[in-house]
Structure formats: C-alpha cells, structure tokens
C-alpha cells in the first residue's frame, strides 16, 4: 500500500501527519514537537542550511548567513523563479521551499520507517486575490514538492481539511471553520452526516498574523527608523519624505532578505546624512547594515502575542539600542488591527453568502490557526455569529490531521 502524507505547509509553521490505523499520527517534525517553524537559514561559514527552530536560533545568535521565513507568501510571484546568490549558493526560492519540504519528508520517513512519495498538501483557498497569481502559486508549490522527491501530489483547501477533524455536535446545523494563520484567513462551511464531512462553501482572503505584525511594525517601530521622516533635497532647496517602500518592505517578513544589498546600504547611509532628524535614519542604516530586519519582526510578533495575553506589553528593541522599547497600548492595537479584522469578518460574511445561509444556520464556529488566538479576531467573528457555539481545535495541527484523514479516505 502506498503511504500518503498530509503536509500543512504554513506561512509561519508547518506540520505533517499520516494515518496510523484509524487515527492521524502527527510527525515529530522537530525534536519532541509536531510543528516546525517555516524558516530556513543558510549558514555562510558552515555552508549548510538549517530549518525550523534551528534556523530561528541561528538568526537570533547572529550567525552569518541568510534567514528566510514566510516564503509561502511569495509563491505565485516571479521572485520564486529568479536564481540568486543566497549566502553560499545560487538557488531559486522554489528550490529553497523544496529543501524545506525535503526535510519534512525525511523526518516523516525517519519517524515512520516508511518510504513516502505521495502527499496531500494543504493550500489556502486563495493564495492571492489575483486569479492568475493564485493559480501560479499552486503550480510553484507543486514544483517544489516535485523537486523534494514527491511523485504523487494533490492539494486540498486547508479549512476543508480542518473540517474533517471537527467533533462538534452540529445537530442538523452547519459548522464554519475559521482558520486564521500567518498568511491567510480561510473559511469552510460544512455539515456532517453519518461521520462524513460535506463541504458547502469555502472562501479565503490574504490576511493573517504576518499582516498584523507588518501593520504593528509600520505603526510603532518604523517611525523610529525614519518612516515618514524628511530628507533634504540633494539638487535643490527644500525637503521630501523618505520613500515609503523601503519601510514597508522592511516590515514585511518575506521581503526583508531582499533589502540586504550593497545598494540599500548605500542609500540608507545617504539618508542618514540628508535627514532633518538624523538619529532615526542612523538607526535605519545600522539595521540594514547589521541585517536586523527579521529580529525586529520577531520582536513585534512577540509583543503582539504578549499584548494579546495581557493588558500591557511592549516591543523590545534593545538589540538595536539599549532601552529602546515600544509600549503597545490598547488603542494602537485596535486602530492598527481593526482594518484587518474587518477584512476577516467581511470574508466570514461572504462565505455565508456563498452558501446562501444566514448566521443563525451556523451551529458551531471551529477555530483553527495561530491568529485565531487573537482576541480581536474572535471578537470580530463573534460579531458575525453571535449565537454559534465555539470549538477550539489544536490551532497549529488540525489542518495536518485533517489532511491525513482525507488522504486515507480518497484512496
Ligand atoms: N498565542 C498567540 N496569540 C496570537 N497570535 C499567535 C499566537 N501564537 C501564534 N500566533 C500567530 O499565529 C500565526 C501563525 O499561525 P499558524 O501557524 O496557524 O499559521 P500558518 O498555518 O503557518 O499560516 P497559513 O495557514 O496562513 O499559511 C503567526 O502570525 C503568529 O504570530
Ligand atoms: Mg495554516
């Protein structure tokens, strides 16, 4: 019998599962853990690549090399196919994703003692709003699986996989999976009859926790690095505002590595000379030169999670300058995140409309994904479905479990 692995290749975290008897078995993709941060670090001195927590640790330890996270967000864009020098080798991002998936495959084979060349992979309902880009993203992901050595590759919408795992007693009503991850928010309305899951409608938007990080970063940290600051004109009197794009990229997980070029170093040093208020731009030049963009994103993400869990938290930037911290007030959190949580609740409403159902038809909301742990997200969904019961699944592994279950059913 062919063994088919379910892989939830996430923007932030990846998990994999395979059926063992009639239950999904989550692969220990890291020592003692069933999730693997979707991170890669190419170590320049050692000329090797490390993955997951080891990649995050290499970045935090300040090892020389290239760190990458949230590559799923780049799928479907021309950047995936450009061959470039990353640390010690020339590779495409498809090959980088393939290296990561090879690691997942090997760890699954080690854990099970099986040879696995068949995969049912999750995918968001929409990688991108643009249909061409959306279609290309799946082609890119397929190509990465092929390069990783999989020969039988199929895809399933992530929230449809999660719906398999729901044990809610729907009692004739419908369930709604709300999967809010790092890169996308995905929705599936389903019903259960005689243990079978039937999908009624699925929908998705490209909004997730990495967008929360980006918005908080732009609102609180980037102004300390010169965002919206004024530069003297070089050729004539007067001033102009520093270009926004640099700050926007520096606050975007997947774009950070592409800023570490001699050219960006050159013009950020120039900005530090031309700035009316120099200290922020001097910080910017240092952040670029010392490659601290990901450290900032990690600090913002940690601040976001801490603030969600308590009424006060700050973003700790002391690795840039001693005592540099940004308090995260409730009002900053709400003004920054509300436009994004509104997109999420609008998408939940759109899913109801696609199924031609009203909010009262949904008996249970099934929360999946790390960002479904954000209070602002549950508040936004509760406003759409005030009467539905709430089911909390394993936020980080329900999709992988459901993929393994579905992989076994479709044989
Ligand atoms: N305790 C928490 N509170 C709030 N947010 C959290 C918490 N833990 C993780 N997150 C956020 O959840 C996101 C990751 O969730 P998850 O692992 O479900 O995403 P993913 O599956 O990798 O992404 P996607 O499905 O969108 O491709 C990150 O943005 C992270 O900051
Ligand atoms: Mg996910």
């Amino acid at each position: 019998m062919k063994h088919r692995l379910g892989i939830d290749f996430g923007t932030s975290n990846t998990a994999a599962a395979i059926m063992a008897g009639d239950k999904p078995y989550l692969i220990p993709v890291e020592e003692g853990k069933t999730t693997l941060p979707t991170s890669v670090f190419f170590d320049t001195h050692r000329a090797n690549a490390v993955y997951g927590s080891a990649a995050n640790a290499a970045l935090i330890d300040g090892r020389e090399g290239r760190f990458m996270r949230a590559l799923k967000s780049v799928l479907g864009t021309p950047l995936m196919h450009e061959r470039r020098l990353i640390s010690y080798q020339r590779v495409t991002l498809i090959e980088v994703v393939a290296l990561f998936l090879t690691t997942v495959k090997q760890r699954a084979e080690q854990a099970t003692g099986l040879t696995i060349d068949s995969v049912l992979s999750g995918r968001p309902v929409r990688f991108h709003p643009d249909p061409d880009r959306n279609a290309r993203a799946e082609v890119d992901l397929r190509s990465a699986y092929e390069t990783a050595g999989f020969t039988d590759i199929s895809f399933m919408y992530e929230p449809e996989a999660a719906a398999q795992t729901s044990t809610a007693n729907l009692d004739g009503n419908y369930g709604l999976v709300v999967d809010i991850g790092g890169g996308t928010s995905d929705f599936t309305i389903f019903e259960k009859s005689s243990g079978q899951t039937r999908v009624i409608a699925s929908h998705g938007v490209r909004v997730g926790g990495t967008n929360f990080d980006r918005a908080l970063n732009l609102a609180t940290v980037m102004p300390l690095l010169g965002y919206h600051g004024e530069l003297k004109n070089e050729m004539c009197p007067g001033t102009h505002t520093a270009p926004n794009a640099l700050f926007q990229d520096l606050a975007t997980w997947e774009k950070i590595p592409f800023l570490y070029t001699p050219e960006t170093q050159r013009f950020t040093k120039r900005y530090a000379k031309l700035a009316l208020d120099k200290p922020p731009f001097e910080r910017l030049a240092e952040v670029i030169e010392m490659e601290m963009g990901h450290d900032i994103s990690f600090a913002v993400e940690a601040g976001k999670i801490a603030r969600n869990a308590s009424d006060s938290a700050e973003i700790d930037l002391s690795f840039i300058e001693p005592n540099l911290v940004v308090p995260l007030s409730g009002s900053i959190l709400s003004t920054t995140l509300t436009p994004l949580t509104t997109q999420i609740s609008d998408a939940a409403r759109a899913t109801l409309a696609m199924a031609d159902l009203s909010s009262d038809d949904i008996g249970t909301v099934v929360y999946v994904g790390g960002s479904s742990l954000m209070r602002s997200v549950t508040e936004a969904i509760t406003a759409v479905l005030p009467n539905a019961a709430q089911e909390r699944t394993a936020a980080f592994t329900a999709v992988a479990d459901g993929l393994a279950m579905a992989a076994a059913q479709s044989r």
Side-chain angles (χ1 to χ4, degrees):
M1 186 185 130
K2 245 185 159 179
H3 300 281
R4 203 163 172 223
L5 186 65
I7 299 186
D8 176 19
F9 173 64
T11 310
S12 307
N13 297 293
T14 292
I18 196 161
M19 289 309 270
D22 60 354
K23 285 204 169 57
Y25 163 72
L26 284 163
I27 305 293
V29 274
E30 287 204 318
E31 188 79 40
K33 290 198 184 132
T34 52
T35 59
L36 177 72
T38 312
S39 309
V40 180
F41 185 81
F42 292 101
D43 190 310
T44 307
H45 288 308
R46 294 182 185 158
N48 71 356
V50 288
Y51 306 92
S53 301
N56 292 357
L59 175 86
I60 304 298
D61 290 351
R63 291 200 61 80
E64 196 178 317
R66 179 65 67 240
F67 177 81
M68 301 186 140
R69 195 183 181 205
L71 284 180
K72 184 179 180 183
S73 301
V74 190
L75 292 169
T77 71
L79 217 52
M80 286 308 295
H81 300 268
E82 285 171 19
R83 189 163 292 279
R84 61 179 72 227
L85 183 66
I86 298 180
S87 182
Y88 56 90
Q89 59 177 351
R90 292 189 73 78
V91 280
T92 65
L93 292 185
I94 301 255
E95 287 165 352
V96 176
V97 172
L99 283 169
F100 184 86
L101 294 172
T102 305
T103 303
V104 175
K105 181 176 187 285
Q106 283 167 351
R107 291 182 185 176
E109 289 178 337
Q110 269 162 22
T112 58
L114 304 168
T115 300
I116 301 168
D117 54 19
S118 174
V119 61
L120 178 60
S121 172
R123 56 153 289 173
V125 180
R126 287 203 195 145
F127 285 98
H128 296 275
D130 173 71
D132 282 346
R133 211 164 242 218
N134 184 43
R136 275 203 301 274
E138 191 185 285
V139 173
D140 286 350
L141 186 54
R142 178 180 292 279
S143 152
Y145 275 112
E146 279 164 2
T147 308
F150 290 97
T151 50
D152 172 24
I153 303 152
S154 37
F155 291 94
M156 181 176 200
Y157 287 152
E158 288 153 9
E160 295 186 5
Q164 309 287 322
T165 68
S166 169
T167 53
N169 179 5
L170 295 174
D171 202 14
N173 266 333
Y174 298 93
L176 170 64
V177 171
V178 173
D179 175 3
I180 318 296
T184 57
S185 293
D186 293 274
F187 306 85
T188 286
I189 294 175
F190 64 97
E191 61 181 358
K192 296 255 180 196
S193 61
S194 348
Q196 293 294 306
T197 307
R198 193 168 80 86
V199 170
I200 312 295
S202 293
H203 183 48
V205 281
R206 192 177 159 90
V207 176
T210 56
N211 302 88
F212 297 170
D213 301 342
R214 179 179 195 265
L216 286 169
N217 195 337
L218 284 169
T220 62
V221 180
M222 288 300 139
L224 302 176
L225 272 57
Y227 187 34
H228 301 313
E230 286 294 299
L231 305 173
K232 283 184 215 145
N233 294 338
E234 289 191 79
M235 301 297 183
C236 57
T239 65
H240 64 279
T241 309
N244 287 340
L246 167 67
F247 299 96
Q248 286 162 354
D249 286 359
L250 188 54
T252 306
W253 280 100
E254 69 275 16
K255 298 212 167 136
I256 296 166
F258 305 102
L259 289 173
Y260 298 152
T261 62
E263 193 198 355
T264 318
Q265 276 192 28
R266 224 174 17 252
F267 65 73
T268 49
K269 283 190 178 139
R270 188 90 205 115
Y271 293 168
K273 292 215 164 66
L274 296 171
L276 294 190
D277 179 17
K278 291 197 182 349
F281 285 94
E282 284 164 359
R283 268 185 211 129
L284 173 68
E286 192 188 333
V287 161
I288 294 292
E289 188 177 352
M290 303 305 289
E291 304 191 349
M292 292 190 280
H294 284 116
D295 304 78
I296 294 175
S297 286
F298 270 116
V300 171
E301 183 182 21
K304 169 191 77 175
I305 292 174
R307 184 62 180 78
N308 183 54
S310 81
D311 285 337
S312 84
E314 54 196 24
I315 299 172
D316 180 357
L317 300 172
S318 54
F319 57 89
I320 302 178
E321 247 169 63
N323 305 323
L324 190 64
V325 290
V326 182
L328 275 178
S329 69
S331 70
I332 285 186
L333 213 68
S334 107
T335 42
T336 312
L337 300 189
T338 301
L340 299 168
T341 53
T342 303
Q343 284 187 56
I344 291 173
S345 52
D346 285 350
R349 276 194 203 89
T351 318
L352 287 171
M354 284 166 71
D356 205 14
L357 293 173
S358 78
S359 59
D360 287 339
D361 296 315
I362 304 297
T364 302
V365 177
V366 182
Y367 283 110
V368 186
S371 300
S372 74
L373 302 171
M374 292 292 288
R375 279 182 280 165
S376 52
V377 168
T378 29
E379 280 160 19
I381 296 294
T382 306
V384 180
L385 299 158
N387 302 321
Q390 301 194 351
E391 180 185 1
R392 289 260 165 208
T393 62
F396 299 97
T397 50
V399 171
D401 277 341
L403 288 167
M405 291 162 74
Q409 281 159 20
S410 57
R411 296 264 116 171

